[in-house]
C-alpha cells in the first residue's frame, strides 16, 4: 500500500471520527425524531384511555384485549423507534446514550419505566386477575406504566423549555396536552367531569353531606392541577391565541369520554377560551405579578362557574347556592395559592457563602 493510499485511509478515518463526534454531541433533536417522540406517546396515551373506557363499560376477564394490544404495540413501536433513531444519530451502538437529544433524557427513561410497568402488569394480572372499575386506575403496575408514559410525552415540551425561543412550538404544545391528559387520567376519582356530585341525575350513592364534601374537594383539586400546569407555560412561553383552548379543551373532552359523552366536555373549551383571552388582556408575566394572580384566580373560577352552569342545564344542580358558589370562589383562591408557589410574592435572595 502506497503513501497516497495510507493518507486516504487516514483522512477517511479522521472524517469518520469527526462525524461521530458531531453526532454524539448533537443538542437539537432532528424534526423526524421530534415527530416520532410525539406521535408514538400519542398512540400509547390513546390506548391507555381506550383501556380505561373498556374497564368502565365491560367486565374484562382476560388481559388479551384490543386496548392492551394498542398499548403494547405502541410500546413496541416506540422502543424500536428510539433504538434505531439513537443508533442513527450516534453512528453506532457506542455513544447511543450520549446521542439522546436535548430534553429527551426523561422521555427515554420514561419508556424504560413504561415497559417495565407493562411487563409487570402482565404478571400482576396473571396473579391477581383482571382489575375492574376504579381498580384499573389504582393498580400499582398501571400507575407505574402511566407515570412512565407521562415522562415519555414530555420530550418536545422539555426540548422547547430548555431552549431560548420565547414562542411555543406546536410540538411542545401537543406534548404538554398529552402530559396533562395523563395527569387527568390518574385524577379520575376526583375529576368533576366524571364524579358529578352536584348533578341531580347523579346516582344517590352517598349521603348528601358526603357528596357535597367530595364535590367541593374535587373542584379544588381540579383548580390546583389546571393552574399548576398552565401557569408555568404562560410564564415561560409566548402562547398564541387558542393554545390553552387546545390544551384544556382536548384534555377535557378526553377525560369526559372515559365514561360517556356529556355536555361538561365543553367546559374545558370554554375555560381555554377564557384563559387565552385573559392572556391577551392581562399580559401576565414575571414582572406583572398582580396580573399573574388575577389570571390564576379567574381561569379556575370561570371553569368552575361554567361547570355548574352546564350541570344545571343538563339535569339540574341539587347543591344549595352557598355550596356551589363557594366552590367557584374556592377554585379562584386555590389558583392564587398555587400561583404563589410558582411565582413567589417576594424575591428570595440567597445569603452569600
Amino acid at each position: 500500500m502506497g503513501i497516497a493510499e495510507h493518507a486516504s485511509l487516514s483522512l477517511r478515518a479522521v472524517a469518520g471520527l469527526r462525524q461521530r463526534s458531531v453526532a454524539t454531541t448533537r443538542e437539537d433533536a432532528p424534526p423526524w425524531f421530534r415527530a416520532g417522540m410525539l406521535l408514538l406517546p400519542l398512540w400509547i396515551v390513546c390506548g391507555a384511555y381506550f383501556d380505561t373506557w373498556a374497564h368502565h363499560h365491560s367486565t374484562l376477564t382476560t388481559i388479551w384485549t384490543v386496548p392492551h394490544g394498542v398499548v403494547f404495540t405502541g410500546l413496541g413501536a416506540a422502543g424500536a423507534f428510539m433504538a434505531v433513531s439513537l443508533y442513527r444519530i450516534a453512528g453506532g451502538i457506542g455513544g447511543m446514550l450520549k446521542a439522546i437529544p436535548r430534553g429527551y433524557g426523561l422521555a427515554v427513561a420514561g419508556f424504560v419505566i413504561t415497559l417495565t410497568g407493562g411487563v409487570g402488569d402482565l404478571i400482576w394480572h396473571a396473579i391477581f386477575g383482571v382489575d375492574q372499575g376504579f381498580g384499573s386506575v389504582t393498580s400499582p403496575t398501571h400507575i407505574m406504566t402511566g407515570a412512565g408514559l407521562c415522562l415519555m410525552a414530555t420530550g418536545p415540551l422539555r426540548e422547547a423549555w430548555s431552549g431560548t425561543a420565547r414562542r411555543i412550538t406546536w410540538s411542545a404544545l401537543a406534548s404538554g396536552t398529552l402530559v396533562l391528559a395523563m395527569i387527568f387520567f390518574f385524577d379520575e376519582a376526583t375529576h368533576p367531569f366524571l364524579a358529578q356530585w352536584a348533578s341531580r341525575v347523579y346516582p344517590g350513592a352517598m349521603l348528601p353531606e358526603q357528596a357535597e364534601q367530595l364535590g367541593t374537594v374535587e373542584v379544588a383539586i381540579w383548580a390546583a392541577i389546571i393552574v399548576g400546569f398552565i401557569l408555568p407555560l404562560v410564564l415561560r412561553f409566548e402562547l398564541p391565541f387558542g393554545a390553552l383552548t387546545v390544551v384544556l379543551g382536548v384534555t377535557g373532552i378526553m377525560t369526559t369520554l372515559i365514561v360517556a359523552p356529556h355536555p361538561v366536555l365543553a367546559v374545558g373549551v370554554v375555560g381555554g377560551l377564557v384563559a387565552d383571552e385573559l392572556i391577551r388582556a392581562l399580559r401576565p408575566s414575571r414582572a406583572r405579578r398582580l396580573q399573574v394572580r388575577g389570571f390564576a384566580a379567574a381561569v379556575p373560577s370561570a371553569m368552575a362557574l361554567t361547570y355548574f352552569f352546564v350541570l344545571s342545564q343538563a339535569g339540574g344542580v341539587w347543591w344549595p347556592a352557598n355550596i356551589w358558589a363557594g366552590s367557584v370562589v374556592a377554585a379562584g383562591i386555590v389558583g392564587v395559592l398555587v400561583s404563589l408557589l410558582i411565582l413567589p410574592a417576594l424575591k428570595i435572595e440567597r445569603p452569600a457563602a
Side-chain angles (χ1 to χ4, degrees):
M1 183 179 291
I3 296 177
E5 291 175 319
H6 277 292
S8 177
L9 287 175
S10 299
L11 287 173
R12 284 201 295 269
V14 170
L17 289 173
R18 185 170 181 270
Q19 183 179 6
R20 178 170 297 183
S21 176
V22 170
T24 54
T25 57
R26 183 180 221 153
E27 292 187 357
D28 295 328
W32 54 267
F33 184 83
R34 186 180 304 116
M37 293 300 289
L38 180 62
L39 294 176
L40 289 168
L42 172 62
W43 177 349
I44 307 171
V45 168
C46 289
Y49 267 80
F50 185 20
D51 182 54
T52 299
W53 177 90
H55 277 281
H56 277 278
H57 291 82
S58 60
T59 301
L60 303 180
T61 58
T62 176
I63 60 175
W64 306 111
T65 63
V66 174
H68 274 177
V70 174
V71 171
F72 281 102
T73 54
L75 272 175
F81 174 80
M82 288 184 194
V84 172
S85 298
L86 296 180
Y87 179 89
R88 177 182 173 185
I89 295 173
I93 295 178
M96 286 177 64
L97 290 179
K98 293 181 180 179
I100 297 174
R102 172 174 50 84
Y104 288 87
L106 280 182
V108 174
F111 167 75
V112 176
I113 295 171
T114 304
L115 183 61
T116 304
V119 173
D121 190 49
L122 296 177
I123 299 172
W124 179 273
H125 289 322
I127 297 174
F128 298 103
V130 180
D131 305 307
Q132 303 297 333
F134 181 60
S136 64
V137 178
T138 58
S139 167
T141 51
H142 283 186
I143 292 174
M144 183 177 182
T145 302
L149 179 53
C150 195
L151 290 178
M152 282 182 65
T154 63
L157 178 59
R158 295 186 71 249
E159 179 190 15
W161 196 286
S162 62
T164 57
R166 278 285 298 157
R167 190 170 181 85
I168 197 168
T169 62
W170 70 268
S171 57
L173 188 65
S175 172
T177 303
L178 289 180
V179 173
L180 184 58
M182 286 309 300
I183 293 173
F184 282 156
F185 179 84
F186 285 108
D187 186 42
E188 179 182 338
T190 60
H191 200 293
F193 289 10
L194 301 176
Q196 300 171 6
W197 293 111
S199 174
R200 285 190 183 277
V201 298
Y202 199 83
M206 287 189 175
L207 296 174
E209 188 170 340
Q210 290 176 317
E212 291 167 347
Q213 292 170 351
L214 283 174
T216 53
V217 168
E218 71 180 11
V219 170
I221 293 174
W222 179 48
I225 291 174
I226 290 170
V227 176
F229 187 83
I230 68 172
L231 186 56
L233 296 180
V234 171
L235 295 176
R236 167 61 181 85
F237 295 107
E238 177 186 334
L239 300 177
F241 188 88
L244 294 183
T245 302
V246 171
V247 173
L248 296 177
V250 170
T251 54
I253 292 171
M254 289 178 67
T255 304
T256 305
L257 294 180
I258 286 177
V259 175
H262 189 280
V264 294
L265 56 77
V267 174
V269 177
V270 174
L273 286 170
V274 170
D276 284 321
E277 185 58 43
L278 284 172
I279 290 176
R280 185 159 61 181
L282 297 177
R283 294 180 291 113
S285 68
R286 293 182 179 275
R288 296 166 60 86
R289 300 194 178 206
L290 183 60
Q291 287 80 358
V292 169
R293 311 301 176 217
F295 176 85
V299 172
S301 293
M303 293 186 70
L305 185 60
T306 305
Y307 169 72
F308 288 115
F309 174 77
V310 171
L311 287 187
S312 70
Q313 301 302 304
V317 172
W318 64 269
W319 284 3
N322 63 311
I323 294 181
W324 67 258
S327 296
V328 172
V329 174
I333 293 174
V334 168
V336 172
L337 294 176
V338 171
S339 78
L340 289 170
L341 293 175
I342 296 172
L343 185 64
L346 299 176
K347 185 176 181 180
I348 301 175
E349 300 288 349
R350 292 188 178 183

